[in-house]
Amino acid sequence: MSVMKKPWLPVVWICLGAAILVSDYFAGPNSAIPFLFLIPVVLAAQYSSRFWGITLAIVLPLTRFCFHFAWDGPFPLSDRVLNAVIRIVILAGAAYLVDRVNRQAQEIKILRGILPVCMYCKKIRTTEQQWQPIETYITKHSEAQFSHTFC
């Protein structure tokens, strides 16, 4: 899973977040719509960058917190602040974890299967039936690099 480099993608996540915020505003203070904030946050972290995921993780709950000044809700200000902080921490954590998994997936390149190796010269036979030095084959098919020395 590689990160796509499309500069217009953050605009999509912002519009998606705005659509969820508008729906949340019209649903009222007692709605359960804020869990949908997870969608643009995770998508932004997955396909744009950690920056966009965490930015949305902060902006969306803070914007919803501002809605409470327009609503006559039954909750005191301290509960609203605590609720916004909890949402920010959870969403930012999700964005961080998604980005971290993406970065780790990019770093892992595994050689699988049985590699036919010459018993004498230790070269590997490729799928094109050609023999390559083991260092060349592994460097070409993984992120490993070789450094030669004496034992």
Side-chain angles (χ1 to χ4, degrees), residues 5 17 26 39 45 54 63 70 98-99 113 120 138 147:
K5 300 295 181 188
F26 287 115
I39 296 169
I54 291 177
T63 304
V98 166
D99 181 68
Y120 178 71
I138 291 177
S147 172

Side-chain angles (χ1 to χ4, degrees), residues 135 139 144-150:
E135 297 91 347
T139 303
Q145 295 182 348
F146 285 85
S147 172
H148 291 88
T149 186
F150 293 101

Side-chain angles (χ1 to χ4, degrees), residues 113-124:
I114 297 175
L115 298 175
V117 178
C118 174
M119 291 182 352
Y120 178 71
C121 68
K122 305 297 186 210
K123 289 185 179 180
I124 295 177

Side-chain angles (χ1 to χ4, degrees), residues 46-122:
Q46 173 83 23
Y47 296 110
S48 292
S49 68
R50 181 187 309 174
F51 169 79
W52 285 107
I54 291 177
T55 299
L56 286 173
I58 294 168
V59 169
L60 294 174
L62 285 179
T63 304
R64 186 176 201 277
F65 172 75
C66 293
F67 290 169
H68 286 285
F69 295 112
W71 293 328
D72 288 329
F75 304 109
L77 183 62
S78 60
D79 288 351
R80 295 175 188 178
V81 169
L82 182 61
N83 200 354
V85 169
I86 290 170
R87 283 187 180 125
I88 289 170
V89 168
I90 289 172
L91 291 171
Y96 173 77
L97 289 175
V98 166
D99 181 68
R100 180 157 179 163
V101 167
N102 267 349
R103 289 173 191 249
Q104 288 177 343
Q106 290 173 355
E107 289 179 13
I108 297 174
K109 195 171 181 183
I110 299 174
L111 294 173
R112 295 182 187 222
I114 297 175
L115 298 175
V117 178
C118 174
M119 291 182 352
Y120 178 71
C121 68
K122 305 297 186 210

Side-chain angles (χ1 to χ4, degrees), residues 23-44:
S23 301
D24 186 32
Y25 179 78
F26 287 115
N30 298 325
S31 70
I33 291 179
F35 78 93
L36 294 176
F37 292 167
L38 195 57
I39 296 169
V41 168
V42 167
L43 289 174

